[in-house]
Amino acid sequence: MFISLSIPLAIAAATMYLLCAISPARLAQGISAGTALAWLLHGSALWLEIVAPGSLRLGFAVMLSSALWVSVAAYWLENRNFALDGLRILMLPCAAFTCILPLLFPGTLVALENKSALFGWHILIAILAYSSLTIAAFHAVLMALQESRLHVRPNQEQSTWFGAALDKLPALLTMEKLLFRLIAFGFGLLTLTVLSGVVFSEHLFGRAMRWDHKTVFTLMSWLLFGVLLAGRVWRGWRGKTALGLTLAGFATLLLGYVGSRFVLEVILQRGA
């Protein structure tokens, strides 16, 4: 019943995202209001898809949809301080796609019976950490494309809609400041996730911590992001070094959870 109620909400959110993505920039106020409405519809659909009586529904599609939901919120807030219209054209279609994804791949139910009250908070923090670092990785890709475009400037006649979107992004220095703010926020949440998983594993999950692939990849990702932030503070790392470590840390985190869930749910057609 809950998932069936989420279907019209998800479709409405996806439609509104697409309308906001293709609207001309001169309709800035309408785009802002429409994006906020789509975000609320998206969040409502996610809630119905994740929260079930006595359980949580988790999977790779829900994680990706949650990541884009947080991404849209970050875009909407930051757009009030920076000109991020180029980001709108790129991000909102992705958000529309991930609205529909959980309807196709709903994931598996995780029973909350006999689980600690902290279990739900652990899951919430983990999703927020993953979502924040997803935004950072997406941001890093845009910065790499933006930098490469500075070296080869196409003629106006040859410029595509994607190139035009990149041209509307803030200056690279501003983008870099935003990137490290996102990474620092995500790293803090990832640290809480790792600590709660290591220290309170038996209390949260009813068993001692297991050194499975998800634990190893998560710790590797945490280490990569920690090294990047330390290098930024003490060595002034930026540019290609920062972008490379950001993408490496995200790819490791992606392999640790979403990759395994995708294989289990889509390729092998079973839960874990």
Side-chain angles (χ1 to χ4, degrees):
M1 175 181 177
F2 289 98
I3 292 184
S4 64
L5 289 174
S6 72
I7 294 175
L9 291 173
I11 293 174
T15 303
M16 187 64 69
Y17 278 142
L18 290 176
L19 288 175
C20 291
I22 64 176
S23 297
R26 66 177 182 273
L27 302 177
Q29 290 186 345
I31 291 172
S32 179
T35 301
L37 176 59
W39 182 80
L40 291 173
L41 293 170
H42 187 180
S44 299
L46 267 177
W47 178 266
L48 293 173
E49 288 157 356
I50 295 175
V51 179
S55 60
L56 296 175
R57 187 179 293 275
L58 301 175
F60 88 96
V62 166
M63 293 292 288
L64 290 177
S65 188
S66 299
L68 266 296
W69 183 72
V70 174
S71 300
V72 171
Y75 150 76
W76 191 86
L77 291 172
E78 293 291 356
N79 195 46
R80 305 172 74 88
N81 301 316
F82 303 100
L84 300 179
D85 196 59
L87 196 58
R88 165 181 67 92
I89 300 172
L90 300 173
M91 178 180 293
L92 295 189
C94 295
F97 173 72
T98 60
C99 279
I100 304 300
L101 205 57
L103 303 179
L104 304 175
F105 304 103
T108 55
L109 287 173
V110 177
L112 296 178
E113 186 178 1
N114 299 323
K115 290 283 196 307
S116 167
L118 296 175
F119 180 77
W121 287 105
H122 174 79
I123 296 297
L124 176 62
I125 293 172
I127 290 175
L128 289 175
Y130 168 76
S131 300
S132 301
L133 295 173
T134 297
I135 307 169
F138 183 69
H139 198 91
V141 171
L142 287 180
M143 286 180 61
L145 294 173
Q146 187 181 16
E147 184 177 13
S148 66
R149 190 167 172 80
L150 292 177
H151 300 295
V152 182
R153 192 72 178 183
N155 296 327
Q156 184 66 28
E157 294 78 15
Q158 298 175 334
S159 183
T160 63
W161 72 270
F162 184 73
L166 291 177
D167 289 339
K168 293 179 181 178
L169 293 175
L172 276 172
L173 286 177
T174 301
M175 291 285 283
E176 189 174 77
K177 290 178 182 178
L178 293 173
L179 174 67
F180 277 97
R181 282 166 57 179
L182 290 169
I183 293 173
F185 180 69
F187 179 75
L189 292 173
L190 187 61
T191 300
L192 291 176
T193 303
V194 170
L195 287 176
S196 64
V198 171
V199 178
F200 302 110
S201 180
E202 191 163 355
H203 185 58
L204 284 170
F205 308 111
R207 56 175 169 75
M209 186 184 72
R210 293 187 303 184
W211 287 92
D212 55 15
H213 68 285
K214 283 187 267 190
T215 302
V216 172
F217 277 122
T218 299
L219 289 174
M220 287 174 59
S221 177
W222 178 83
L223 182 62
L224 284 170
F225 283 116
V227 168
L228 171 58
L229 291 174
R232 171 72 170 183
V233 173
W234 290 314
R235 302 294 299 273
W237 286 354
R238 53 180 302 185
K240 292 183 179 179
T241 300
L243 298 182
L245 280 174
T246 300
L247 295 177
F250 174 72
T252 306
L253 191 62
L254 191 72
L255 287 173
Y257 184 79
V258 175
S260 63
R261 299 300 300 189
F262 180 82
V263 171
L264 289 169
E265 294 173 23
V266 180
I267 298 178
L268 299 182
Q269 295 290 311
R270 65 184 177 88

